[in-house]
Amino acid sequence: MTTPTTTTTTTPAPGILPALRLYARSRAVPATLAVLVATALGAAWAAQWLVEQPGAGPTARLPVVVLAPLFAAGVVGTGLFTHSAELERGAVRPWWPRRLAHLLLATALAAVLLALAVPGHFDAYGASAMARNVVGSTGVAAASAVVLGARLSWLPMMVYTAVTYLWASGAAGGAAAAWAWATRPEDDVRAWLTALAVYGCGAALHAWRGAGPGGGRGRG
């Protein structure tokens, strides 16, 4: 008489590429990419139009260098939401590396696309200033996503941009290099250091906590 044996079947874990595709769809990565490309194209057109106006000088592209990163940061910030906050909390592996990698890649892509939109000889507000503002603005959006939720992550940066553009665009050096970094020329080292510090804090906070529950988004 033979004893029946039972076999246990296990479902294989999904491969890397299917998992990446699922993650990209859940974070609306294709839509984010499309909007960033459209933003870069719009910024390129606007920058060229401003340069061609009579009397255009080194600050002609300042509105584009300030406003385009604001929009791009909002796009990246709203893409930081998660539909599975509870699953992420109970996951065996920590989620902070995924959050950090997502944010770093999105920031790098936005910075490169928008920097390419403002080439030319107007060095005061060119590609470097655009990349700096994308980095700093995205840092603010990432921190705001933790506090306010991904849907409202654009709001604090919009308020900051309005204040600095209206009142600090003509301010000379000193403290303005820190608190008005988005309006500073691209060779201002202190403005660069401030933008990088803002991004580092925002990226670290988002990687640690994930997007907050505001606006219907869940905390990861």
Side-chain angles (χ1 to χ4, degrees):
M1 182 176 181
T2 60
T3 303
T5 59
T6 58
T7 59
T8 303
T9 59
T10 59
T11 302
I16 295 178
L17 289 180
L20 288 177
R21 284 196 295 266
L22 179 61
Y23 180 90
R25 287 197 300 269
S26 68
R27 297 310 197 274
V29 171
T32 298
L33 175 60
V35 177
L36 288 178
V37 171
T39 301
L41 292 175
W45 175 85
Q48 184 62 30
W49 181 83
L50 290 172
V51 168
E52 292 174 351
Q53 298 308 299
T59 62
R61 296 190 295 190
L62 177 59
V64 175
V65 170
V66 171
L67 297 178
L70 165 64
F71 190 80
V75 173
V76 173
T78 54
L80 298 178
F81 67 86
T82 175
H83 292 293
S84 54
E86 294 298 330
L87 293 178
E88 291 181 11
R89 287 196 200 99
V92 176
R93 296 180 179 179
W95 267 81
W96 72 262
R98 297 175 178 85
R99 296 190 191 110
L100 184 59
H102 178 179
L103 181 60
L104 290 175
L105 289 174
T107 305
L109 177 63
V112 170
L113 288 175
L114 290 182
L116 292 175
V118 285
H121 61 281
F122 285 104
D123 295 331
Y125 293 98
S128 180
M130 181 72 91
R132 177 200 65 204
N133 287 357
V134 170
V135 169
S137 300
T138 307
V140 175
S144 302
V146 177
V147 179
L148 301 177
R151 282 184 176 175
L152 295 177
S153 60
W154 53 270
L155 184 58
M157 190 61 204
M158 186 187 71
V159 174
Y160 162 81
T161 300
V163 171
T164 55
Y165 188 73
L166 292 176
W167 284 287
S169 59
W179 70 268
W181 49 267
T183 63
R184 305 299 300 161
E186 58 189 6
D187 60 350
D188 194 319
V189 177
R190 287 169 296 182
W192 261 105
L193 292 176
T194 303
L196 290 173
V198 169
Y199 183 78
C201 293
L205 182 60
H206 173 70
W208 175 43
R209 296 295 294 169
R217 305 303 189 190
R219 184 181 299 275

